[in-house]
Amino acid sequence: MAGKPSGRSPEPAKASRRGAFGRGFPSAAARSGRISGLDGLRTVAVAMVLVYHVEPGLLPGGSVAVDVFFTISGFVITRLLLAEYARTGGINLRSFYRRRWLRLVPALLAVCAACVALSLTTSLWAFENAWAAAVLAATFVVNIVRAGASGGYSDVTGPLAHTWSLSVEEQFYLLWPLALLFLLRRCRARTVLLCTAALCVLPVLWRFALWNPDAAHRIYNGTDTRADQLLAGALVAVVLARLRADDPRLEQLRRWAGRLACPALGLLLLTAWRVPVTSGSGVWTATWYTVGLLAVATVSATLVTGLELRPDARLSQALSLAPLAWVGRNLSYGIYLWHYPIVRLLASLGVTDGRLSTTIVLTTVMALLSYALIEMPFLRQGRRPRPSTARS
C-alpha cells in the first residue's frame, strides 16, 4: 500500500556505504588494534636510547633506536587513519589532532616545567636558561634549532635537546594526515600506495643534494630529511590495508616477514652495539647520512611487518611478554621524556658511580608518576564521547 512504512532497516544501506569507503583498502578496518609485539619493541628501543645517553661507550650506535621509533610511529598513525577512512569515508582531523595533543603535550609540558623550576631554584649548570629550552620543546621546534647548528650543538636546548625527535614526529603528524586525506579523496587506492612509496624516495634524493660534512646536523634533525623513516612505516600500513585476508600475496609477505623479522632485529641491535652512527666525517658517515637512514627504515619496516603478520612467531611472543608490552604501551613515552633531564641532573651533581642504575630507577619513577597523574587522566578525557562534527 502506498505510503506504508516498509519496515526495512536502514542498516544494510549504511553498511554498504561504509564498505564503499573502504574499497581498495579491504583490510584497513580490521587492522586497527594494538600489536603487543610493537609495544615490546618500544620498550627495547627506549632502553637503547637511555643506555646510549648515559653510557655511550656501551651502545655507540644506540641512536638507531630513534629511527625505529620513527618507523613505528608512521605505521601506527597511518593504519589508524586508514581504518577511520574505511569505516566512515573521511578523517576527522580535528579529533585526530586533539588526541595527539592530549597524548603528547601535557606530559611534555610537565617535563618543561620541572626543568624551568630547577633553573630558577638551583645553580645546576645543566639547567641554566632552561626556560629557553622549554619554549623550544613546547612549540616542537627543537629539531629546527639543532638543524641550523654549525659545528657542535649549542646548549640552548639544554636538558630538553632529546625532544628534537618529538618535534620531527609532531611535524609529521601535522602534515601527513592532510596529505593522506588528499590522496585518499583524489586517487585510487593503488595510486595512494605508489605515491607513498615515491614519497619514501624523495628524502633520500634530498639528502644527496644537501650532503656535505657541515650539513650533518641539518640532515640528522630535519623532518624533510628524516621523513622516509616515518613514511616507511606508513607504506607498510598502506600495503597491508590493500591486501585481503585471502590474497596469496599476503601469505607470501607473511612468510617472508616472519623469516626476516629476527635477522632485522639482530641487525638493529648489532648496529646499536658496534656502529657509532653519528661520529666521524669520512665515507662511512656520508653513506649513513644519505642512504643509510633509508636502509635502517627498511630494516625497521621489515621488523614491524613481521610483528604485525606473525603474532604467533617466537619473536612476537617474546616481545609480547606482559612486562615488556606494558612498559612499551604505558611508560615508554614518559621514560623518553624524563631520562635525558635526569642524565643531565646527575651529571651536574657529579654522580659517577652507579650512574646507569640510578638513571634507570629515577626515570622509571618519574615515568610512572607521569603515566598515573598526567597521561592517563588526559587520555581518559580524549576517549570521552564528543558531539559529532563534520568530517574533514
Side-chain angles (χ1 to χ4, degrees), residues 130-183:
W131 63 268
V135 171
L136 296 173
T139 53
F140 295 102
V141 295
V142 169
N143 69 315
I144 296 174
V145 173
R146 285 166 55 96
S150 59
Y153 289 122
S154 72
D155 206 40
V156 66
T157 56
L160 296 166
H162 65 307
T163 63
W164 74 269
S165 62
L166 302 182
S167 301
V168 170
E169 290 196 1
E170 192 67 14
Q171 291 157 21
F172 177 81
Y173 294 156
L174 177 65
L175 298 174
W176 174 238
L178 296 170
L180 181 61
L181 182 59
F182 176 84
L183 291 173

